[in-house]
Amino acid sequence: MLPDFPLHSVVAVMLAFVPLARTAPQPITKRSTSELSLTAQLRLADTAIERYKLLPKDEDFVFNFAGTSLPIATSQNFPALVGTGISFSISQLPACSMSFVHLHPRATELFAITSGRVLSEMVPETGVLDSEGHQRVIRAELGPGMVTIFPAGSFHTQVNPDCEPANFTAAFTSDEFAVGLVAAQTFSLSDDVIAATFGETIAGEDIEKVRHAIPATMAIKVEECLTKCGKQKRQA
């Protein structure tokens, strides 16, 4: 038996719910993804089977390093990598050059030498100390057939100390690994923050000089090696 509510009370309750009904979530109409990039469509696919349907050609699964100016295969230029958690690079470090100190925020890197020689240095996270209680720096000399690891977020660099290019391959544990350039990003901060960070050892008027002195290219020439090999500083 229903409670004996006055009719006007029932009507008032029904009217109170009308605005709520009008603002209740409505079913989302399926939108076309045709205006999205192939990489975005692959990321939105419900299953791996759907991703295969978006890559109908056999050549969609082949990346030609010889046909690109950027020798890095990621999900941005090789969509078949979406969902795999990997990316890959085949390149070389020119004679007498050093890569910027950098890090990869979203990936661990496996770095392997196929020809030549490379000296690497890697700084792990804070708290990883050497036997004397100082920040540990892991150094390696790599030749053909040798590989080292740079964990995600670790600072690292590679130096080619010889007169010939060193060829390498690198695998990453993300299809969009990204690069952080330590010097350039640090000196993007405000002058006060930079001065405080370096314990006031850099005078305010010198900070802008340092900013402009940071090389714009990814490889820094090693002066001692250039002299040994009789090369010019700006030689490619």
Side-chain angles (χ1 to χ4, degrees):
M1 184 175 180
L2 295 175
D4 188 16
F5 289 125
L7 180 60
H8 65 83
S9 296
V10 176
V11 172
V13 171
M14 293 176 64
L15 290 175
F17 278 96
V18 170
L20 296 177
R22 289 176 180 172
T23 59
Q26 301 298 311
I28 298 175
T29 303
K30 189 173 183 179
R31 296 175 57 188
S32 171
T33 59
S34 59
E35 70 276 13
L36 300 177
S37 69
L38 178 57
T39 299
Q41 293 179 55
L42 289 163
R43 292 196 188 283
L44 291 173
D46 290 329
T47 65
I49 293 174
E50 292 299 319
R51 288 197 290 272
Y52 278 105
K53 291 179 180 178
L54 290 167
L55 301 167
K57 302 176 182 178
D58 290 351
E59 52 263 38
D60 290 332
F61 294 87
V62 177
F63 184 84
N64 183 6
F65 281 99
T68 178
S69 59
L70 185 65
I72 299 173
T74 72
S75 57
Q76 300 303 298
N77 59 1
F78 188 25
L81 290 178
V82 170
T84 64
I86 57 173
S87 50
F88 195 74
S89 176
I90 298 177
S91 191
Q92 69 174 212
L93 197 59
C96 300
S97 68
M98 180 184 84
S99 67
F100 274 133
V101 177
H102 62 284
L103 58 85
H104 304 294
R106 291 189 289 276
T108 290
E109 175 183 1
L110 284 174
F111 181 86
I113 297 299
T114 55
S115 70
R117 183 169 66 112
V118 166
L119 309 178
S120 74
E121 294 196 14
M122 185 266 287
V123 180
E125 62 192 85
T126 299
V128 179
L129 307 178
D130 61 20
S131 59
E132 297 179 351
H134 302 136
Q135 171 69 55
R136 186 176 179 187
V137 179
I138 297 173
R139 299 176 174 88
E141 179 174 336
L142 306 170
M146 300 176 71
V147 62
T148 190
I149 184 172
F150 304 123
S154 62
F155 291 4
H156 58 278
T157 185
Q158 301 96 356
V159 178
N160 177 359
D162 296 329
C163 303
E164 300 298 329
N167 294 287
F168 67 87
T169 63
F172 303 87
T173 58
S174 168
D175 60 41
E176 188 187 0
F177 59 88
V179 176
L181 300 178
V182 176
Q185 289 181 242
T186 298
F187 279 85
S188 295
L189 297 168
S190 66
D191 290 1
D192 290 344
V193 171
I194 293 172
T197 298
F198 288 92
E200 309 297 337
T201 58
I202 302 178
E205 61 271 20
D206 291 333
I207 291 175
E208 195 62 26
K209 294 179 183 178
V210 175
R211 284 195 183 102
H212 289 297
I214 296 173
T217 57
M218 277 297 293
I220 303 170
K221 294 300 181 183
V222 181
E223 298 289 349
E224 183 179 349
C225 178
L226 289 170
T227 301
K228 176 184 71 176
C229 300
K231 294 180 179 291
Q232 298 298 315
K233 185 172 184 179
R234 295 188 178 277
Q235 182 174 338

